[in-house]
Amino acid sequence: MRHQPVLLVIAHGSRDPRHAGAVHALVRRVRSMRPGLRVETGFLDFNIPSVQGVLESLAAEGVREVVALPLLLTRAFHAKADIPAVLRDAPRRLRIRQAEVLGPSPLLLSALERRLYEAGLTPADKSSTGVVLASAGSTDPEAIAVIADIAREWWHTGWCAVRPAFASASLPRTEDAVRELRELGCSTVAVAPYVLAPGFLPDRIARGAARADVLAEVLGPSPEVARVLLERYDTARTRMPAAVSA
């Protein structure tokens, strides 16, 4: 029987220890949902193990196939440049397929909504609640456009309004979107961080949410995010390159 490719989850990394903690918790959930699948974690910066170190260890063990999955919500610089560069330097004996980033996905919208309900909202509040979809931000126009599209799609599910906001690189900021929703007349204003783990930028989002009524938690190790990881893995492994001699 052909072995399953190893799933290598590639996270950005952070000096904030909460970041790595959330990444490891998410990976544990993925493992629990797919017993028998080997799941490893590598970081681009700040944390260990590094992506390169994990790839070298896998090659030394005799692993031949890897699905490298960027733990990113949008396809911006890290997915387009940083991660492909690291993978190009991997041991040649490894056959590696880079999976797509996590977003957009209906499952992520479900996770965002559940986080808002955990923070105190109810489905009955939707029509009177304006939501700030607060992401980390990017200089990549494609990534910014994706966030705007997600906000429009989410608004059509029944919220009073949904406005995108960004913690860095782009405008508006979270506090500006909160103010806009107040001026629009939404009875309640909620901030939904569209980020995977705690850290510097999520803390900036939280400060910008000071005048909001509700602030949800980051997506973290939610089951919906874990399901998206497995969906991206399954799609990528069906496109694995043909076997070549080492």
Side-chain angles (χ1 to χ4, degrees):
M1 180 178 176
R2 187 172 182 269
H3 292 293
Q4 295 183 93
V6 171
L7 170 56
L8 172 58
V9 176
I10 300 179
H12 182 273
S14 172
R15 292 185 178 90
D16 189 321
R18 296 174 297 167
H19 174 89
V23 171
H24 291 310
L26 176 59
V27 168
R28 286 194 297 271
R29 185 178 286 275
V30 171
R31 289 181 181 133
S32 72
M33 294 171 67
R34 185 72 62 88
L37 173 62
R38 182 172 179 180
V39 187
E40 300 291 342
T41 308
F43 295 90
L44 291 173
D45 206 355
F46 302 118
N47 302 104
I48 55 174
S50 68
V51 176
Q52 186 66 28
V54 174
L55 291 171
E56 290 173 357
S57 296
L58 291 173
E61 290 180 32
V63 171
R64 290 295 179 265
E65 294 185 338
V66 176
V67 170
L69 194 153
L71 196 61
L72 301 167
L73 293 172
T74 58
R75 189 173 177 272
F77 182 79
H78 294 304
K80 294 177 179 179
D82 284 351
I83 292 175
V86 173
L87 298 181
R88 282 194 296 270
D89 290 336
R92 293 181 60 83
R93 70 185 65 182
L94 291 175
R95 295 188 294 277
I96 303 174
R97 172 68 64 178
Q98 181 176 329
E100 295 295 329
V101 298
L102 303 184
S105 166
L107 285 169
L108 296 178
L109 284 181
S110 296
L112 286 166
E113 200 149 308
R114 187 163 59 80
R115 287 293 190 231
L116 287 172
Y117 295 151
E118 290 170 351
L121 293 179
T122 70
D125 298 319
K126 288 188 73 168
S127 63
S128 60
T129 300
V131 179
V132 178
L133 179 68
S135 73
S138 173
T139 58
D140 189 305
E142 178 186 348
I144 298 304
V146 166
I147 299 299
D149 288 343
I150 293 170
R152 282 191 293 269
E153 178 182 350
W154 203 15
W155 171 57
H156 287 302
T157 66
W159 296 100
C160 173
V162 180
R163 294 290 186 270
F166 306 95
S168 68
S170 309
L171 296 174
R173 295 286 184 256
T174 301
E175 52 268 35
D176 299 326
V178 169
R179 183 171 56 253
E180 180 184 350
L181 291 172
R182 291 281 187 215
E183 293 171 352
L184 191 64
C186 298
S187 299
T188 302
V189 175
V191 174
Y194 190 57
V195 292
L196 289 166
F200 175 76
L201 292 179
D203 284 350
R204 181 179 289 177
I205 290 171
R207 290 193 297 272
R211 295 185 180 277
D213 301 298
V214 174
L215 171 63
E217 294 292 330
V218 300
L219 294 172
S222 61
E224 296 91 347
V225 176
R227 285 174 59 193
V228 177
L229 261 73
L230 290 171
E231 285 184 357
R232 298 292 185 258
Y233 168 81
D234 289 336
T235 298
R237 70 171 178 162
T238 64
R239 305 195 313 269
M240 291 296 296
V244 295
S245 57

